[in-house]
Amino acid sequence: MQPNGVFLVHAGRAEIVSTRAWLKRTDMQRAAVQYATQSGPLLLVDGKINPQFDPASRNKTVRNAVCVQDAQTVSLVTTGTPVSFYQFASLLQQRLGCQSALYLDGAISTFYPAPFLTPQVQLGPMLGVVAPVSPP
């Protein structure tokens, strides 16, 4: 489902852009990116729910996303129960104040809040959250 997008981190800032916008960036702009992953669809763009989502959709599954509230605040979110794209986007918009959000995948993903759990399956691509280390 379109549009899909790219979550990226550069110069200490996070953002989500459409894949189309990413492809228009210069080589220099792309080289400055420290981390990026592409997925889709975009759930929220500029604080608005993707207009392709049907509020009455019965297509529900466990879903997860990366959400950018502002350039310094990012959330990784997984639902505990099956939801539609519209329900998920609404939650991210209203409860977390996300300005942009990118669907990562869904029921095939796992969430391991270390140190409480250990992976029970082999993992592929991985996003992690770490605390900055203060200099001694």
Side-chain angles (χ1 to χ4, degrees):
M1 183 181 295
Q2 296 294 327
N4 54 34
V6 179
F7 166 67
L8 56 107
V9 177
H10 59 98
R13 300 175 57 84
E15 67 178 307
I16 296 172
V17 298
S18 71
T19 300
R20 185 173 298 201
W22 168 256
L23 294 173
K24 290 181 181 177
R25 293 195 173 188
T26 66
D27 289 342
M28 185 181 291
Q29 289 171 317
R30 289 185 200 177
V33 171
Q34 297 160 305
Y35 175 83
T37 189
Q38 189 275 333
S39 191
L42 289 171
L43 300 169
L44 295 170
V45 178
D46 295 327
K48 295 186 176 99
I49 295 173
N50 185 331
Q52 293 191 56
F53 298 160
D54 178 1
S57 174
R58 298 170 88 188
N59 177 6
K60 296 181 179 183
T61 189
V62 172
R63 302 186 190 275
N64 59 55
V66 59
C67 150
V68 175
Q69 287 99 329
D70 60 58
Q72 304 296 314
T73 310
V74 174
S75 296
L76 298 173
V77 183
T78 300
T79 65
T81 59
V83 296
S84 69
F85 276 131
Y86 187 88
Q87 289 170 319
F88 194 31
S90 295
L91 170 100
L92 297 171
Q93 178 193 54
Q94 295 169 15
R95 300 257 325 260
L96 294 179
C98 298
Q99 293 303 302
S100 57
L102 177 65
Y103 179 64
L104 294 174
D105 61 32
I108 64 170
S109 286
T110 8
F111 179 65
Y112 296 105
F116 306 107
L117 299 173
T118 56
Q120 302 298 315
V121 296
Q122 291 184 341
L123 300 175
M126 190 184 294
L127 292 175
V129 177
V130 296
V133 177
S134 300

